[in-house]
Each structure stands twice: as structure tokens, then as C-alpha cells.
């Protein structure tokens, strides 16, 4: 399902304009990542898709239908949502956390629980954890339960708000890899929020770089943005000329390697570059 923001503005009652005249098309079956620094409006954008926040102006459509005309609770149950804190209910066991949305949607309890066990398999959690409570899990395991719960809605759309922000870098990398695999297998429209440009480039088919007020600094594929940053703000934000992305050639007795700004070898040059525009 594709999602369209048409001139959407959100002004909170205290006068804060979190989102100012934002328009974008989010294509079906792809991952779109909103990335930007703290307070630029990423979460507000995401929460307007499932109507946890209502726009002040403009409209949002899903497959051409204005979401304002839908029942907000029904809409929300039909859209998977994964949060940074995992958002698990502490007094519910793992399996009940995952099975709740399908049961609320009318699935028979036994079928919902069976499906929940399958989802635990899918996100790489052992079924033996099903009867535990969230506090008895590691942070990474809690996040996996959060992802399983987001998938339980069996919806075409999955919203992910900094889902891996609270876990350590190694678990984070594992979860990112799982997300790529899930997206490939499940073919959902994923909208992902992060402030981490590396995560955005890793996961995004379409990356949206935002300034405060959800002003779009650039939209494109990771390759397009890296090869042609729109301006100095984007170049600086993506670190185009520093760290791991600032590569130079180093000739060695056995061939040419690529070295980053810290002098660490990042790879071996194995052939001529593809033509611009065909990558
Ligand atoms: N309920 C609210 N009332 C007033 N202002 C709000 C409210 N919720 C968010 N804001 C403000 O709107 C702006 C955007 O907030 P939002 O949470 O969307 O940003 P974000 O990019 O997701 O930030 P972070 O990365 O820190 O989560 C911020 O200035 C924030 O303080």
C-alpha cells in the first residue's frame, strides 16, 4: 500500500509547528526512512500515519483513500507499529503481547496464539520465551518481541520509530539485518524513523533527510544522496567527506585498496566503476 502526504502541517496547541507543509509519496512494498536530528518532526510524521496525531492542515492518503475518513481505532489495528521502548505491556506474557492485536481484531484465541508462536520463530526468538514477561528478557529480545507484535497486525504497512535505538551496537546490527530479511520476505511498506544516517542508508530504499519542521533537505536512494548531496547541509549530515564514507585509493604490492579517513582499509578495488546512473 502506498502512502501519500499532501501539504501536511502539524501545529501543536502550544504553537510548536512540528511539521510544516510536508508532501511526499511513500511507495508500496519498499522501506522509506525519515532521518534527521532530534526534534525535526520524524515521530510526528509517523504518528500521523496511524492517527495518533491528527494533522492541522493537509491530508494523508493510503492507496488514495483519505485516512481522516476512516475509523481511527480500526486504522490503527491494521497498521503495525514498533517503538523504541518496544512498548510491551509489562503484565502480559510475551505470547500475549504478540497475540493481543489479532485477538482484538477478532481472531480466535488459539489461532492467534499459534500465529504468535510462528512470529516468534520469524523474529528469531525461541518459543521457550513465550511465557516470560517483558522484564525477564534482554533489551534485544524485548525489541524482537516488539517487532513480532508489529508484524502480528498482518498489515501491509509497518511503522518503526527508532526501534533499535536502545540496544547495544552488536544486537542493533543483528536486528537491522533481520529487518532487511523480513522486508524482503514479507514485502511490506515500511516507514522507519531514525536519527542514524548509517541505519537510514542500510535499511532505506528511499531516504528522506529532514531539517526542523520536517522540511525535506533531500529525498532519494542512498546511492543518489551519497553521489549527489543536495547541499552543504546534506553533505555534512551524511558525513560525505569524513569517517567511513571518505574513501581514498591506496596502492599496495598486490593491488589497490580503499582506505577511510581514519586510515583503515575498508575494501579491495576489484574492477572499474559502473557507469553513473546504472548503479
Ligand atoms: N504534544 C506536543 N506538544 C507540543 N510540542 C510537541 C509535542 N510533541 C512534539 N512536539 C514538538 O514537535 C517537534 C517535533 O517532535 P518530534 O517528536 O516529531 O521530533 P523527532 O524528530 O521525532 O525527535 P526525536 O528524534 O528527538 O524523537 C519538537 O520540537 C517537539 O518538541
Amino acid at each position: 500500500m502506498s502512502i501519500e502526504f499532501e501539504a501536511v502541517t502539524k501545529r501543536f496547541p502550544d504553537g510548536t509547528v512540528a511539521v510544516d507543509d510536508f508532501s511526499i509519496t511513500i511507495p508500496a512494498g519498499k522501506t522509506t526512512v525519515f532521518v534527521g536530528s532530534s526534534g525535526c518532526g520524524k515521530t510526528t510524521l509517523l504518528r500521523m500515519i496511524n492517527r495518533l496525531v491528527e494533522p492541522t492542515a493537509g491530508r494523508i492518503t493510503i492507496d488514495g483513500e483519505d485516512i481522516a475518513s476512516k475509523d481511527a481505532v480500526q486504522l490503527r489495528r491494521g497498521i503495525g507499529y514498533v517503538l523504541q521502548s518496544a512498548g510491551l505491556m509489562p503484565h502480559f506474557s510475551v505470547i500475549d503481547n504478540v497475540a493481543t492485536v489479532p485477538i482484538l481484531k477478532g481472531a480466535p484465541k488459539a489461532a492467534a496464539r499459534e500465529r504468535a508462536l510462528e512470529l516468534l520463530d520469524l523474529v528469531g526468538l525461541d518459543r521457550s520465551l513465550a511465557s516470560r514477561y517483558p522484564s525477564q528478557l534482554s533489551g534485544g529480545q524485548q525489541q524482537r518481541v516488539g517487532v513480532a507484535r508489529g508484524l502480528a497486525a498482518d498489515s501491509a504497512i509497518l511503522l518503526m520509530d527508532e526501534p533499535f535505538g536502545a540496544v547495544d551496537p552488536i544486537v542493533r546490527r543483528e536486528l537491522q539485518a533481520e529487518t532487511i530479511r523480513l522486508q524482503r520476505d514479507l514485502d511490506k511498506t515500511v516507514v522507519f524513523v531514525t536519527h542514524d544516517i548509517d541505519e537510514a542508508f542500510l535499511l532505506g530504499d528511499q531516504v528522506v533527510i529532514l531539517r526542523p519542521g520536517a522540511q525535506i533537505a533531500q529525498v532519494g536512494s542512498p546511492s543518489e544522496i551519497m553521489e549527489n548531496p543536495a547541499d552543504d547541509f546534506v553533505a555534512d549530515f551524511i558525513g560525505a567527506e569524513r569517517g567511513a564514507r571518505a574513501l581514498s585509493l591506496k596502492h599496495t604490492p598486490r593491488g589497490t585498496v580503499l582506505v577511510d579517513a581514519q586510515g583503515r582499509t575498508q575494501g579491495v578495488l576489484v574492477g572499474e566503476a559502473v557507469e553513473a546512473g546504472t548503479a
Side-chain angles (χ1 to χ4, degrees):
M1 288 183 145
S2 64
I3 306 167
E4 185 112 19
F5 282 77
E6 297 172 21
V8 171
T9 291
K10 176 62 191 181
R11 178 190 295 271
F12 284 106
D14 69 354
T16 305
V17 181
V19 172
D20 190 7
D21 195 16
F22 180 85
S23 298
I24 200 167
T25 300
I26 295 174
K30 304 261 184 238
T31 299
T32 291
V33 181
F34 293 143
V35 58
S37 43
S38 182
C40 71
K42 308 180 291 294
T43 295
T44 305
L45 288 174
L46 204 67
R47 289 163 71 92
M48 286 196 285
I49 298 173
N50 61 7
R51 290 189 59 192
L52 286 171
V53 172
E54 298 287 353
T56 320
R59 61 176 210 147
I60 298 168
T61 61
I62 295 181
D63 275 356
E65 255 188 84
D66 190 342
I67 61 171
S69 65
K70 301 186 182 211
D71 177 75
V73 174
Q74 295 291 339
L75 176 82
R76 222 164 283 150
R77 281 186 193 157
I79 296 179
Y81 188 34
V82 186
L83 296 141
Q84 171 166 357
S85 56
L88 302 178
M89 294 171 285
H91 305 300
F92 278 39
S93 63
V94 164
I95 190 163
D96 288 335
N97 263 286
V98 178
T100 295
V101 167
I103 290 170
L104 284 173
K105 284 172 77 178
K109 224 173 164 178
R113 289 170 72 93
E114 184 50 40
R115 175 75 184 131
L117 289 173
E118 289 169 15
L119 287 166
L120 294 186
D121 297 341
L122 193 67
V123 300
L125 279 176
D126 199 281
R127 289 185 176 207
S128 65
L129 300 177
S131 57
R132 290 213 195 159
Y133 289 90
S135 64
Q136 298 169 318
L137 300 176
S138 72
Q141 289 167 335
Q142 289 182 27
Q143 277 313 125
R144 285 176 196 266
V145 178
V147 174
R149 202 178 56 159
L151 295 172
D154 232 346
S155 58
I157 297 174
L158 183 61
L159 309 179
M160 305 183 85
D161 193 351
E162 296 252 11
F164 314 138
V167 295
D168 69 64
I170 294 170
V171 175
R172 189 177 176 126
R173 247 167 264 138
E174 276 173 28
L175 289 167
Q176 289 166 338
E178 292 278 322
T179 305
I180 293 170
R181 185 179 60 76
L182 286 172
Q183 161 62 8
R184 209 176 40 222
D185 294 352
L186 303 178
D187 200 29
K188 291 184 185 293
T189 306
V190 178
V191 189
F192 194 105
V193 161
T194 181
H195 61 267
D196 176 350
I197 188 65
D198 293 319
E199 186 166 71
F201 281 163
L202 185 67
L203 300 181
D205 298 299
Q206 170 169 265
V207 173
V208 186
I209 299 182
L210 298 167
R211 304 177 200 263
Q215 295 295 296
I216 296 178
Q218 190 165 3
V219 183
S221 68
S223 302
E224 284 163 353
I225 294 173
M226 258 184 280
E227 288 171 19
N228 193 13
D231 54 25
D232 289 349
F233 172 84
V234 174
D236 186 52
F237 188 76
I238 69 175
E241 283 153 26
R242 57 174 195 265
R245 270 192 261 289
L247 302 173
S248 46
L249 298 179
K250 178 178 163 189
H251 300 288
T252 75
R254 297 201 49 193
T256 304
V257 296
L258 290 157
V259 178
D260 70 16
Q262 275 82 43
R264 280 192 223 102
T265 302
Q266 293 291 344
V268 177
L269 194 64
V270 292
E272 285 300 307
V274 282
E275 288 296 312
T278 61

